[in-house]
């Protein structure tokens, strides 16, 4: 068992979600009607252009544009719910209905109490043009979705204890770090990589199996905390690292 304050880790990880919800509540409206209509129109246009695309590269680009619109729409829907007691506002309902009418609505996961990012468009965009410039961003969006959608608050209490899936996610996050141009995305990918390594250690321990990645997990957490000392995530990485080190004493 990992000797750490799970509550502390959960609070630190939940911080960005809570901050977004509070900011949205202060702004009163997370989704204004114009933005809802524009997002539906953008998604509609991208889907139509993808259907009419003349080549794989063009179709992939249009599907990535559609994926980006769905990323924003899903994020807005979740923030709208978080800021309004778990219920969508009228504008949120209008956005969701517009997407539903086009078979583009995100699925609502009751266990998480939030909408899941539609992945089909991003996955297809990667398959169609694996060397396209948008691919690292598409891969990052998928890794980020898989990570945050795998647990409610505590990453060490995943909805499904699938070590293989976490291993793949960790490797993908590690591979993406040098490919991402956006520094915030690089930081988040490095964080996901480090936390997933620690999750591998935790799940292996629960299954009664020794973990071979524990030294790598400690190194990744330590490197993250040292590389991003001013990040909110650095505090979470330090707490997890402390738990790993205490478990070895």
């Amino acid at each position: 068992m990992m000797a750490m304050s799970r509550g502390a880790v959960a609070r630190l990880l939940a911080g960005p979600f809570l901050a977004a919800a509070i900011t949205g509540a202060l702004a009163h409206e997370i989704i204004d009607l114009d933005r809802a209509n524009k997002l539906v129109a953008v998604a509609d246009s991208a889907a139509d252009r993808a259907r009419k695309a003349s080549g794989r590269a063009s179709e992939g680009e249009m599907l990535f544009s559609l994926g980006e619109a769905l990323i924003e729409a899903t994020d807005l829907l979740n923030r709208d719910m978080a800021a309004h007691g778990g219920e969508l506002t009228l504008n949120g309902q209008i956005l969701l209905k517009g997407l539903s009418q086009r078979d583009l609505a995100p699925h609502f996961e009751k266990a998480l109490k939030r909408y899941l990012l539609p992945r089909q468009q991003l996955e297809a965009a990667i398959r169609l043009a694996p060397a396209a410039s948008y691919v690292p961003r598409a891969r990052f969006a998928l890794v980020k979705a898989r990570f945050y959608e795998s647990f409610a608050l505590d990453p060490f209490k995943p909805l499904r204890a699938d070590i293989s899936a976490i291993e793949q996610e960790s490797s993908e996050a590690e591979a993406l770090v040098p490919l991402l141009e956006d520094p915030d995305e690089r930081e988040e990918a490095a964080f996901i990589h480090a936390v997933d390594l620690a999750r591998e250690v935790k799940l292996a321990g629960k299954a009664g199996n020794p973990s071979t990645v524990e030294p790598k997990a400690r190194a990744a957490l330590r490197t993250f905390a040292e590389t991003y000392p001013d990040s909110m995530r650095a505090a979470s990485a330090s707490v997890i690292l402390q738990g790993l080190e205490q478990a070895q004493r």
Side-chain angles (χ1 to χ4, degrees), residues 96-139:
L96 183 62
K97 183 177 181 180
L99 295 173
S100 297
Q101 290 172 337
R102 293 157 177 81
D103 293 324
L104 295 172
H107 169 72
F108 182 75
E109 176 58 62
K110 292 182 179 179
L112 298 174
K113 298 181 181 179
R114 62 178 184 262
Y115 290 94
L116 306 184
L117 175 69
R119 303 175 187 177
Q120 178 182 350
Q121 294 77 14
L122 293 170
E123 291 170 344
I126 294 169
R127 287 196 304 270
L128 286 165
S133 61
Y134 62 73
V135 167
R137 286 176 291 155
R139 288 169 59 188

Side-chain angles (χ1 to χ4, degrees), residues 22-60:
I22 293 170
T23 300
L26 292 175
H28 300 296
E29 287 296 337
I30 296 293
I31 306 174
D32 63 63
L33 186 58
D34 287 343
R35 188 59 191 151
N37 289 331
K38 183 177 180 180
L39 265 176
V40 172
V42 168
D44 209 10
S45 174
D48 183 59
R49 284 181 291 162
R51 286 190 294 269
K52 296 177 180 177
S54 58
R56 293 175 63 87
S58 178
E59 183 182 359

Side-chain angles (χ1 to χ4, degrees), residues 2 156 194-203 217 221 240 244:
M2 192 176 296
F156 296 98
V195 175
D196 272 345
L197 286 172
R199 294 211 291 176
E200 289 179 46
V201 175
K202 171 68 173 180
L203 290 177
L221 290 164
I240 298 170
L244 286 176

Side-chain angles (χ1 to χ4, degrees), residues 17 46 53 183 243:
F17 295 112

Side-chain angles (χ1 to χ4, degrees), residues 11-12 14-16 19 187 191 224 228-237:
R11 286 192 297 274
L12 288 164
E187 176 190 324
F191 177 72
F224 182 88
Y228 303 100
D230 298 325
S231 169
M232 283 182 63
R233 299 184 183 100
S236 183

